[in-house]
């Protein structure tokens, strides 16, 4: 009996390790999105529309294989659809914010979802993080502050863009919470396909309202955006959501600004200072700490 329980524990630990790797990998893939949006020759919200539209056929095929063609429960569909509305408005608000403020400001305020998810995790757990958990939180946010703190600029000229970016972070928090909830009922591709379907008309309407260029001349960045951000990035993240608390999910979101800074250096020659590199290392250390066993509180 003991040997059987040990075997089950080993399988569970291995599964959690793969899930955590998927969560990190998903955020790495998502962080490449900003670079591909900059390379696209459409408007920023239009690029989000194409991200969803080009990925949707594959997502629907994956969802069909997952369900065997059976219709998912209606209450779960409604929750996934609501998540899609949050996600579409998040992308529209953030992309509009980028046009009205500095990229660094948009990144900083758009990543408020990390902090909000940590707060949400503390509320759900009804206890403050202790030990390695607390150390990981401090390291993660200190590292992110170093990464983004040098380049952002508070100014009345950027107020509208900053507010839209902050609103986008709040909307993304709602999206993650709803998708984590619905994943108890729906399989990952099914949940993502429903949310993405809802996103398409909202993003197209927003792009048209903003007067953006819709049709691209170069499809390559948009195809790569759909594959990396929506298929790989969101696919891995949505699959791993039920296995972790909002606190862990919030901290792993901080991978995105770190990798975005690295991709900006590689792809656009944007200089990385010693402080930027140190900040990225702090975020990496936080992700290691958050997975360590903790005597003062249960591992999360």
């Amino acid at each position: 009996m003991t040997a059987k329980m040990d075997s089950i524990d080993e399988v569970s630990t291995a599964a959690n390790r793969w899930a955590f790797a998927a969560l990190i990998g998903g955020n790495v893939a998502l962080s490449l999105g900003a670079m591909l949006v900059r390379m696209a020759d459409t408007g920023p919200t239009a690029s989000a529309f194409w991200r969803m539209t080009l990925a949707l056929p594959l997502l629907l095929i994956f969802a069909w294989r997952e369900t065997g063609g059976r219709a998912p429960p209606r209450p779960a569909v409604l929750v996934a659809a609501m998540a899609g509305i949050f996600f579409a408005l998040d992308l529209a608000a953030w992309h509009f914010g980028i046009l009205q403020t500095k990229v660094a400001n948009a990144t900083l305020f758009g990543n408020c979802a990390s902090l909000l998810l940590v707060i949400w995790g503390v509320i759900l757990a009804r206890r403050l993080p202790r030990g390695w958990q607390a150390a990981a939180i401090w390291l993660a946010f200190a590292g992110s502050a170093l990464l983004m703190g040098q380049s952002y600029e508070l100014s009345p000229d950027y107020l509208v863009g900053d507010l839209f970016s902050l609103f986008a972070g709040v909307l993304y928090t709602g999206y993650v919470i709803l998708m984590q909830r619905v994943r108890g009922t729906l399989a990952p591709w099914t949940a993502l396909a429903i949310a993405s379907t809802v996103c398409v008309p909202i993003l197209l309407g927003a792009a048209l309202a903003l007067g953006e260029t819709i049709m691209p001349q170069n499809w390559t960045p948009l195809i790569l955006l759909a594959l990396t951000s929506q298929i790989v990035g969101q696919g891995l993240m949505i699959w791993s959501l039920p296995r972790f608390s909002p606190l862990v999910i919030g901290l792993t979101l901080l991978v995105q600004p770190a990798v975005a800074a690295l991709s900006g250096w590689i792809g656009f020659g944007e200089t990385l200072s010693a402080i930027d590199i140190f900040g990225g290392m702090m975020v990496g250390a936080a992700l290691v700490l958050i997975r360590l066993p903790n005597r003062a509180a249960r591992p999360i």
Side-chain angles (χ1 to χ4, degrees):
M1 184 68 177
T2 303
K4 185 178 180 180
M5 291 297 294
D6 289 343
S7 176
I8 292 173
D9 288 342
E10 288 176 6
V11 171
S12 178
T13 300
N16 281 337
R17 286 174 181 168
W18 280 111
F20 191 66
L23 189 60
I24 297 296
N27 278 286
V28 170
L30 287 168
S31 67
L32 302 176
M35 180 175 66
L36 292 169
V37 168
R38 290 171 67 176
M39 294 170 62
D41 55 7
T42 63
T45 308
S47 68
F49 159 73
W50 286 115
R51 162 183 166 173
M52 297 295 173
T53 303
L54 294 174
L56 194 54
L58 269 179
L59 293 176
L60 291 173
I61 291 171
F62 294 159
W64 179 269
R65 288 174 60 87
E66 233 173 21
T67 62
R70 295 183 299 272
R74 185 176 179 183
V77 171
L78 293 176
V79 175
M82 181 62 69
I85 294 173
F86 271 77
F87 193 32
L89 294 177
D90 155 58
L91 290 172
W94 192 61
H95 287 172
F96 180 76
I98 289 174
L99 301 179
Q100 305 295 324
T101 188
K102 295 179 65 176
V103 173
N105 286 28
T107 302
L108 176 66
F109 292 113
N111 271 279
C112 73
S114 302
L115 177 60
L116 294 175
L117 282 169
V118 168
I119 293 172
W120 179 247
V122 170
I123 292 172
L124 287 181
R126 295 182 180 179
R127 59 182 174 85
L128 292 173
R130 300 176 182 175
W132 292 126
Q133 296 174 16
I137 292 171
W138 283 110
L139 265 177
F141 285 108
S144 297
L146 289 178
L147 270 171
M148 295 180 281
Q150 295 187 97
S151 51
Y152 90 97
E153 180 183 343
L154 291 178
S155 168
D157 296 336
Y158 303 140
L159 179 61
V160 172
D162 291 346
L163 290 176
F164 268 92
S165 299
L166 187 63
F167 183 49
V170 174
L171 290 168
Y172 192 71
T173 304
Y175 165 72
V176 171
I177 291 172
L178 287 170
M179 289 298 273
Q180 188 176 35
R181 174 184 171 187
V182 81
R183 278 286 286 110
T185 305
L186 296 180
W189 292 118
T190 304
L192 189 55
I194 294 170
S196 300
T197 301
V198 172
C199 283
V200 170
I202 297 174
L203 289 170
L204 178 59
L208 291 171
L210 292 170
E212 294 184 3
T213 300
I214 305 295
M215 294 303 299
Q217 294 182 345
N218 180 11
W219 286 94
T220 302
L222 295 173
I223 293 172
L224 290 175
L225 180 65
L227 291 174
T228 57
S229 290
Q230 200 60 18
I231 301 294
V232 178
Q234 284 291 323
L236 287 174
M237 195 181 81
I238 297 305
W239 175 76
S240 59
L241 278 184
R243 294 165 172 82
F244 301 104
S245 70
L247 189 149
V248 174
I249 295 165
L251 290 189
T252 57
L253 290 181
L254 295 174
V255 168
Q256 294 189 36
V259 177
L262 182 62
S263 63
W265 172 55
I266 295 173
F268 297 96
E270 297 175 354
T271 304
L272 284 178
S273 68
I275 293 179
D276 293 326
I277 295 171
F278 184 63
M281 291 172 64
M282 290 175 71
V283 172
L287 297 177
V288 173
L289 289 179
I290 200 64
R291 301 300 298 152
L292 291 179
N294 190 350
R295 294 180 182 178
R298 296 186 304 274
I300 56 177

